[in-house]
Amino acid sequence: DIQMTQSPSSLSASVGDRVTITCRASQGISNYLAWYQQKPGKVPKLLIYAASTLQSGVPSRFSGSGSGTDFTLTISSLQPEDVATYYCQKYNSAWDLTFGGGTKVEIK
Amino acid sequence: QVQLVQSGAEVKKPGASVKVSCKASGYTFTSYGISWVRQAPGQGLEWMGWISAYNGNTNYAQKLQGRVTMTTDTSTSTAYMELRSLRSDDTAVYYCARDLSMIVVVITTKGDAFDIWGQGTMVTVSS
């Protein structure tokens, strides 16, 4: 099975900072990657699909990039409402839609 | 509006079974697939499997093969997930989630991202 490794597992940054989260696949998955945001006690929310396509209604400060094995989620200017855990998910195979371990983002 | 509404919290004893429902509204139920995802307390997200609401085809996570069954009732636009032989480590919030894209190819080797999620159902397994 393909493993999805996120880093860091947690980070603390100031409001307005640029934040980057990395997701690495153990094998190539083309661009079949999604990013989700889960606020404390809430349901996950789709942010980005196909590695770089912003889901409708998601603020433009969120962006995604990458292809193959290495992917990044970037928040260009961190806002207080962005405090959440972020998960990547691969979906190149209909039999294995593995999530990464998550990255917890806090405000410094 | 498009939404998935799940059944309420459950408390089960080890060895028992649980069946969680997920009622869809606001879209054509048979045009999308539904996945089930669970989250143990304080832990990450775990994909459990997928069902086509078009024809009932299923794909299950290898870890749960033999213990999980996913079904749909197109007359009520409801998806179901049954998990058998429950253990304490099955304690989790269980979510249903809709595929982002409509079913175009009946047989596909690719999965999809999830754009609509149910509110979650807490299942507690305890003696």
Side-chain angles (χ1 to χ4, degrees):
Chain A
D1 288 356
I2 298 176
Q3 306 303 314
M4 304 299 292
T5 304
Q6 281 185 241
S7 61
S9 56
S10 66
L11 66 89
S12 180
S14 300
V15 173
D17 281 355
R18 183 180 185 88
V19 169
T20 298
I21 298 168
T22 297
C23 179
R24 176 164 290 172
S26 58
Q27 298 176 40
I29 58 170
S30 185
N31 69 335
Y32 291 94
L33 186 99
W35 289 97
Y36 299 87
Q37 175 194 64
Q38 187 178 32
K39 295 184 178 181
K42 301 297 185 181
V43 175
K45 173 187 174 182
L46 177 64
L47 297 177
I48 287 170
Y49 61 95
S52 61
T53 302
L54 199 66
Q55 171 68 345
S56 175
V58 173
S60 59
R61 63 181 180 274
F62 291 93
S63 64
S65 65
S67 183
T69 59
D70 294 319
F71 303 87
T72 58
L73 172 70
T74 300
I75 308 173
S76 61
S77 176
L78 186 67
Q79 300 301 303
E81 60 266 32
D82 300 334
V83 168
T85 300
Y86 294 83
Y87 294 93
C88 63
Q89 181 203 24
K90 73 172 197 69
Y91 54 96
N92 65 307
S93 168
W95 294 270
D96 178 20
L97 279 68
T98 302
F99 290 90
T103 297
K104 187 174 184 179
V105 174
E106 298 176 323
I107 299 290
K108 193 181 294 181
Chain B
Q1 72 280 25
V2 176
Q3 62 178 352
L4 299 173
V5 178
Q6 299 183 221
S7 49
E10 303 264 12
V11 179
K12 297 291 183 180
K13 294 196 181 302
S17 298
V18 69
K19 191 170 186 177
V20 179
S21 68
C22 169
K23 184 171 176 59
S25 61
Y27 72 95
T28 302
F29 180 68
T30 52
S31 293
Y32 293 82
I34 295 278
S35 276
W36 290 86
V37 176
R38 70 179 179 178
Q39 186 170 36
Q43 302 301 307
L45 302 171
E46 178 185 12
W47 177 77
M48 301 177 66
W50 171 90
I51 183 166
S52 167
Y54 175 75
N55 60 10
N57 285 352
T58 54
N59 296 327
Y60 299 138
Q62 192 168 5
K63 171 183 177 181
L64 296 172
Q65 286 271 5
R67 284 210 300 141
V68 67
T69 300
M70 297 176 188
T71 57
T72 60
D73 181 345
T74 56
S75 69
T76 60
S77 298
T78 303
Y80 297 92
M81 186 283 300
E82 181 180 33
L83 189 62
R84 299 176 293 279
S85 302
L86 289 168
R87 309 186 291 245
S88 58
D89 62 356
D90 292 318
T91 294
V93 176
Y94 289 74
Y95 296 102
C96 58
R98 191 192 79 165
D99 283 352
L100 174 65
S101 304
M102 291 178 60
I103 293 171
V104 175
V105 178
V106 174
I107 299 175
T108 177
T109 62
K110 304 301 183 189
D112 205 353
F114 311 142
D115 66 337
I116 305 296
W117 292 66
Q119 84 275 20
T121 297
M122 182 71 212
V123 175
T124 303
V125 183
S126 174
S127 54

